[in-house]
Amino acid sequence: MFTLFEFMFPIIFVMVFGMIIFQFVTGIGTWHKNNQSPRLSVTATIVAKRENITHHSHANAGDLSGGHGYHSTSSTSYHVTFQVESGDRIELPVSGREYGMLAEGDIGKLTFQGTRYLLFERV
């Protein structure tokens, strides 16, 4: 049994570390690609809004058995789908503040850079 642990621990450690590095490199790549993309301003209509709420439960005091209870956290991400004059649709992540200020059916000038939402001005 002890030899199984000695065998599995390095493999799992390398896999977790590899996933962290992969996410980091992917994030840097997206950031770089967005910075190299031109800033575009196009006439667009808001056709859909969605939010994604995730909930997590964490054991108190680091006790994984839950003997000291649990506390919960939640996280919300917001996305808006814009339709441009050509009929193409673009879904962009927005802040909660922007999400609350936008309504389906709004028409205006969308400014974005790659996958980065910058501004929406109603006309």
Side-chain angles (χ1 to χ4, degrees), residues 87-98:
D88 292 330
R89 293 186 175 197
I90 306 165
E91 183 180 66
L92 299 171
V94 299
S95 69
R97 177 181 165 96
E98 288 287 329

Side-chain angles (χ1 to χ4, degrees), residues 13-113:
F13 178 78
V14 168
M15 286 176 54
V16 169
F17 189 71
M19 288 188 307
I20 291 170
I21 295 297
F22 177 77
Q23 287 292 330
F24 181 73
V25 169
T26 302
I28 296 274
T30 301
W31 175 80
H32 180 70
K33 183 178 177 187
N34 283 341
N35 285 343
Q36 299 303 314
S37 298
R39 286 184 183 218
L40 301 174
S41 292
V42 296
T43 302
T45 303
I46 297 174
V47 293
K49 292 170 52 173
R50 73 176 176 90
E51 53 188 66
N52 184 31
I53 303 169
T54 56
H55 300 281
H56 303 280
S57 293
H58 307 278
N60 289 336
D63 180 12
L64 296 179
S65 70
H68 295 288
Y70 289 91
H71 70 276
S72 297
T73 59
S74 62
S75 175
T76 307
S77 60
Y78 302 96
H79 299 269
V80 177
T81 303
F82 300 92
Q83 182 168 324
V84 298
E85 291 175 324
S86 67
D88 292 330
R89 293 186 175 197
I90 306 165
E91 183 180 66
L92 299 171
V94 299
S95 69
R97 177 181 165 96
E98 288 287 329
Y99 183 85
M101 299 299 290
L102 300 172
E104 289 184 19
D106 283 353
I107 299 172
K109 188 70 73 173
L110 168 66
T111 304
F112 65 100
Q113 185 176 18

